[in-house]
Amino acid sequence: MSVFPGTATGGRDFVLLRVETILSYVRLLRRRSVLALWGAQTLSVFGDRLYAMAIMWIAWQESGAAVMGLVAVAESVPYIVLGTVGRRLVSRFSTLRRLAAVDVGRAVLVAVLPLVWETLGMPGMLACAVLLGVGGALFDPNLGALVPELVDKDDVQAVNGLMDLTGRIARIAGPGAAGVLLGLVPRPSLFVFDGVTFVVSAAALLALASHTSVSAGSGRKQAEAEIWPRARVLLRTRPDTAVAIAVHGAGIFAHTVALVLPAFLAARLDAGAAAYGVALAATGAGAFVANGFAGNMQLPSNLPVFYCVTWGASGLVLASICLAGSLPVLLVLCVLLGVVNPFLQVALSVHLSSFPPAARLRLMSVDLTVIRTAGTVSMLFLPGLAAQDPVAAFPVAGIALLVLAATGAAAAWRWVRTRTPLPVAPERAMARD
């Protein structure tokens, strides 16, 4: 099927693919298990983004930009620590009921955060941020690892596309809702509302648990957790996967340069906040449109290589931003940046979904650790360096990413031919206890 504009059937095929995408997603959502987990993810991500926007804004109002940075670091540290040394702890939450308990805990923490701020000040708020980070570090990889178990092998790509789409909607709606609610409701009410989203997510998980066949007992689950080697052994066995995760970290690091886009707009185009908002909207629109392709088009069989090549394309677009001499050109580039994102998310998710459950969970946890580490380190100094010359910052970051991604693609292509197959783990039903 041709999907390229300008061909004789390109426009018709584009419409057909969009219709097929909608029908595919509707078909998946008619399954109770997919609908429940989709609802849980949507509300959980919405709650995460609502909390992040609200806490950052309030931290800036109360204590300035330095405290905003501390909050971001405090929330990311648990991902790094648990992903590095918390393998056993993370695996203990690989059941639906325990994930529901995590969401209930996050609901309580978010709801009491204003009270903690008033009574304990910044130390108390940072402690809550750390605990919420612990909840996210336990919840996110386990939820991602459960997604492939909801569907047949042929639907894994589509269900990952669906989860990517709903996650993107929640990421847009969360900050937007926080911005509106901050001006309409008292501060404590905003955090209570945020807590409710986590409670509803927990209810969805419990509902799914009650309609899912029970897995083997805790002894088997513990045995499965012990079968798989440590992350470094697992990644040494599959170096193509290791390089894909490493390139993911490099991509997150390089794209932090986007934080100086407002300075670029002012220096290059003499534009302000309105242009910045339109640029962000263009990126979101590109990702939304491309999601249907990423979730339904046939992807290459060698996903680590494709993943690295796609990051290289993202680096090329990022570098090209410096050439934008007008706002329309910049918006086109922002749309292209957005178009790449769903392919990145879906390709890596589908690749990791091909692993047996315990290995999948470990690799997803490692991936979260890598990108959180890259994001935290880059936030500490990259925006400050880029702000000194925002026009030159984009080609430097983009070309560096392009080179690293091309190197990763070449390495993954070579290693995939000599990789050692993983042993086949016993099948397991989705855990609910």
Side-chain angles (χ1 to χ4, degrees):
M1 176 183 291
S2 174
V3 294
F4 294 100
T7 62
T9 60
R12 184 189 65 187
D13 287 345
F14 176 84
V15 172
L16 288 175
L17 184 56
R18 293 303 299 169
V19 171
E20 291 172 2
T21 297
I22 294 171
L23 293 177
S24 174
Y25 288 170
V26 170
R27 175 176 58 81
L28 288 171
L29 289 174
R30 291 180 64 183
R31 302 182 189 182
R32 182 178 297 174
S33 58
V34 175
L35 179 61
L37 201 58
W38 168 82
Q41 189 208 35
T42 301
L43 287 167
S44 185
V45 175
F46 180 84
D48 282 340
R49 298 299 167 174
L50 185 63
Y51 154 77
M53 175 67 179
I55 196 65
M56 290 297 184
W57 179 259
I58 294 171
W60 178 78
Q61 281 188 323
E62 298 288 341
S63 304
V67 174
M68 285 180 63
L70 286 175
V71 171
V73 171
E75 198 264 342
S76 292
V77 165
Y79 283 87
I80 299 171
V81 173
L82 290 178
T84 304
V85 298
R87 175 173 63 105
R88 296 180 186 278
L89 178 60
V90 172
S91 66
R92 290 180 182 276
F93 288 84
S94 60
T95 67
L96 294 167
R97 286 199 169 94
R98 291 182 183 181
L99 289 183
V102 170
D103 260 351
V104 171
R106 293 200 287 183
V108 173
L109 284 170
V110 167
V112 304
L113 199 148
L115 178 62
V116 170
W117 195 318
E118 292 177 2
T119 56
L120 300 178
M122 186 178 71
M125 183 268 294
L126 291 175
C128 282
V130 170
L131 291 174
L132 285 164
V134 170
L138 297 175
F139 188 93
D140 294 346
N142 278 297
L143 185 68
L146 287 174
V147 168
E149 298 187 30
L150 298 174
V151 296
D152 297 330
K153 183 178 179 180
D154 292 341
D155 287 327
V156 168
Q157 181 180 340
V159 78
N160 276 294
L162 177 63
M163 296 299 174
D164 173 75
L165 177 63
T166 53
R168 293 188 186 283
I169 294 173
R171 289 182 181 96
I172 296 171
V180 172
L181 292 173
L182 279 168
L184 296 178
V185 302
R187 187 181 300 175
S189 300
L190 171 61
F191 285 93
V192 170
F193 177 80
D194 190 8
V196 169
T197 65
F198 288 112
V199 171
V200 177
S201 173
L205 291 170
L206 289 174
L208 178 56
S210 66
H211 291 91
T212 303
S213 58
V214 183
S215 68
S218 58
R220 176 178 170 181
K221 286 181 287 188
Q222 179 66 24
E224 283 188 345
E226 296 292 342
I227 287 174
W228 300 106
R230 296 181 182 275
R232 62 177 179 271
V233 178
L234 185 60
L235 293 172
R236 191 182 303 126
T237 304
R238 292 293 298 268
D240 56 326
T241 302
V243 77
I245 292 175
V247 170
H248 192 184
I252 296 298
F253 189 97
H255 273 262
T256 305
V257 75
L259 292 175
V260 301
L261 185 58
F264 172 87
L265 287 167
R268 180 80 170 181
L269 304 178
D270 194 25
Y276 180 55
V278 174
L280 294 179
T283 304
F288 183 82
V289 172
N291 171 270
F293 293 92
N296 292 275
M297 289 181 67
Q298 183 174 355
L299 298 177
S301 59
N302 194 330
L303 285 175
V305 173
F306 173 76
Y307 183 74
C308 293
V309 169
T310 307
W311 267 118
S314 180
L316 183 61
V317 176
L318 192 67
S320 300
I321 287 177
C322 70
L323 303 176
S326 65
L327 184 58
V329 174
L330 176 65
L331 295 181
V332 170
L333 293 173
C334 288
V335 169
L336 291 176
L337 277 177
V339 165
V340 172
N341 290 335
F343 287 95
L344 291 169
Q345 178 64 35
V346 172
L348 186 59
S349 296
V350 171
H351 175 63
L352 297 182
S353 297
S354 66
F355 287 83
R360 182 194 314 149
L361 171 59
R362 185 61 185 135
L363 289 172
M364 288 186 173
S365 181
V366 169
D367 181 58
L368 276 173
T369 303
V370 168
I371 62 175
R372 284 283 181 158
T373 303
T376 301
V377 172
S378 64
M379 283 284 293
L380 292 176
F381 69 91
L382 188 57
L385 291 175
Q388 298 178 20
D389 190 346
V391 176
F394 285 92
V396 171
I399 292 172
L401 176 57
L402 176 59
V403 171
L404 289 172
T407 303
W413 178 265
R414 178 173 62 87
W415 285 329
V416 75
R417 298 182 175 185
T418 58
R419 69 188 181 193
T420 304
L422 286 170
V424 178
E427 295 292 332
R428 72 168 188 176
M430 182 182 296
R432 74 173 189 173
D433 293 334

